[in-house]
Amino acid sequence: MNDPETVLHYLDVLLKESNFTKAARELYISQPYLTQTLKRIEKKLGVQILNRNIPFSLTEAGTKYYKYLEKSVSRKNKLEQDLLKYSHPDREIIKITVLESLGTFLLPTLLHSFLKENSNISIQIIECSPRRSENLLLSEEVDCYLGQTPKSLSKGILPYLNGSETYYVVIPQSSPYFTPGKFILPQDSLSLKELLKEPLILSTGGSAIRHQVNGLLQKYKITPNIILESKSVLTATGLSINGLGITISSASILKRYNQVPINLLPLESNLISINYFLAVKANRKLTPGLKKLISHFNKLNLNEDIK
């Protein structure tokens, strides 16, 4: 495989899932194809690039290769952008980076009407982790970063804030706290402290939501019983709904499960607060199209909860 952008995407998903079958499913390719692709790359390079121990990680050689791929993609993207003014002098490309689980909800809302109103603008989407999104933004390889929890942003990044969403404790049927025939529970119907003592499925330590959950555990002086962790809040939510434990997830994800026999206990915003942002690199001159996108983002109603 000679496409650096595709190889980068494959590696990102493998590192996120730490499982070839799950990664292949997310990439819409077969597991044998993904396995053989990585073996061919490693054979061609003459080195192992991925540690297969759980969780997956890059080897020292793999880290160098990953950085090489990033630079190759960056050069390719820069060349395309430089040539755009000659091939399409009236068209502007805006590159947006976003976390996949957030992009499934925010991107359709943001882009549907924007692109209808701005036919001379093209959008390129890069789905990756918050850390890589920040790096891409600061190195000017993307134009903006669509994310949540602006308090965690690095210096040199300017966020435009709009909206928030409610978070819920997900209580599966297998839990002793499950109430049959209910979906959304009254906020004060169960003790959050007692729920957090149950077996938990949480996102990994680097995520914004995990940071706030850790704050709750400290607030109630609880030593948690964490039975599973995932880099993806989508995966953690799915595992919880299938009865493996309690988790905390967002309205934008949980809306799709309104026919599933689970309980959702809403959390007050002072306990967990998630705010959406569209961020740009501070002090970077904004293009006309990017100014329009920021203005469009600011006008949206992005407050998300479940009725």
Side-chain angles (χ1 to χ4, degrees):
M1 176 172 292
N2 298 317
D3 180 15
E5 197 161 4
T6 301
V7 176
L8 263 181
H9 187 41
Y10 283 11
L11 289 174
D12 281 341
V13 176
L14 279 167
L15 290 169
K16 181 181 79 170
E17 297 293 350
S18 292
N19 181 288
F20 277 85
T21 301
K22 290 181 180 178
R25 189 181 303 125
E26 182 172 330
L27 292 164
Y28 296 100
I29 58 176
S30 70
Q31 180 268 320
Y33 177 78
L34 178 60
T35 302
Q36 289 305 314
T37 296
L38 187 63
K39 285 183 178 179
R40 282 196 296 270
I41 291 171
E42 290 181 326
K43 183 177 180 180
K44 183 177 179 181
L45 294 173
V47 294
Q48 182 178 340
I49 61 175
L50 187 72
N51 287 318
R52 272 72 163 180
N53 296 329
I54 305 298
F56 287 177
S57 62
L58 294 173
T59 64
E60 185 175 346
T63 300
K64 292 183 181 296
Y65 178 60
Y66 189 93
K67 290 179 179 178
Y68 162 78
L69 292 172
E70 286 186 314
K71 289 179 182 178
S72 298
V73 172
S74 176
R75 286 194 295 268
K76 177 176 174 285
N77 290 342
K78 188 175 186 309
L79 176 61
E80 289 175 352
Q81 194 153 15
D82 288 344
L83 294 177
L84 187 65
K85 61 184 178 183
Y86 303 108
S87 59
H88 297 85
D90 59 340
R91 180 168 291 276
E92 180 180 341
I93 292 179
I94 298 176
K95 297 173 186 173
I96 302 176
T97 181
V98 64
L99 183 67
E100 181 189 8
S101 59
L102 189 63
T104 56
F105 157 62
L106 282 183
L107 285 175
T109 305
L110 174 64
L111 297 180
H112 178 70
S113 54
F114 176 77
L115 290 175
K116 279 189 173 182
E117 296 168 5
N118 298 276
S119 57
N120 65 321
I121 295 176
S122 295
I123 300 292
Q124 291 183 358
I125 299 168
I126 300 171
E127 294 174 322
C128 56
S129 68
R131 179 184 61 83
R132 187 170 174 229
S133 290
E134 290 192 23
N135 291 338
L136 290 172
L137 187 64
L138 290 170
S139 62
E140 300 187 9
E141 295 173 57
V142 298
D143 302 294
C144 56
Y145 166 26
L146 188 62
Q148 59 186 14
T149 318
K151 292 179 182 178
S152 62
L153 285 172
S154 303
K155 290 182 179 179
I157 295 178
L158 173 64
Y160 295 86
L161 310 183
N162 180 7
S164 61
E165 67 177 307
T166 303
Y167 269 70
Y168 299 82
V169 180
V170 181
I171 305 168
Q173 256 187 314
S174 58
S175 170
Y177 291 95
F178 176 76
T179 303
K182 299 284 187 180
F183 186 50
I184 307 293
L185 301 177
Q187 202 166 62
D188 58 354
S189 60
L190 291 173
S191 165
L192 179 58
K193 182 176 181 179
E194 294 306 313
L195 287 172
L196 291 174
K197 293 178 182 178
E198 290 292 293
L200 298 176
I201 300 171
L202 299 177
S203 54
T204 49
S207 70
I209 183 63
R210 178 61 183 273
H211 177 73
Q212 297 191 67
V213 171
N214 287 346
L216 287 178
L217 296 170
Q218 292 173 7
K219 171 185 171 70
Y220 293 117
K221 298 179 181 178
I222 294 171
T223 300
N225 176 18
I226 302 171
I227 58 172
L228 283 170
E229 292 182 308
S230 174
K231 293 179 182 178
S232 167
V233 67
L234 288 168
T235 301
T237 302
L239 291 169
S240 175
I241 286 170
N242 281 279
L244 295 179
I246 280 174
T247 194
I248 293 178
S249 190
S250 65
S252 58
I253 292 173
L254 292 166
K255 275 188 169 182
R256 67 193 74 180
Y257 295 107
N258 62 352
Q259 301 299 320
V260 178
I262 55 173
N263 294 154
L264 301 180
L265 182 73
L267 293 173
E268 297 178 15
S269 59
N270 65 321
L271 294 176
I272 291 185
S273 175
I274 300 293
N275 301 102
Y276 304 130
F277 64 78
L278 184 67
V280 296
K281 183 179 179 182
N283 302 318
R284 182 181 178 184
K285 185 177 179 181
L286 301 180
T287 62
L290 194 50
K291 287 180 181 178
K292 289 180 180 179
L293 184 63
I294 293 169
S295 175
H296 186 77
F297 174 79
N298 288 333
K299 293 175 184 176
L300 295 174
N301 178 14
L302 294 177
N303 292 299
E304 189 75 5
D305 61 8
I306 303 174
K307 300 298 184 183

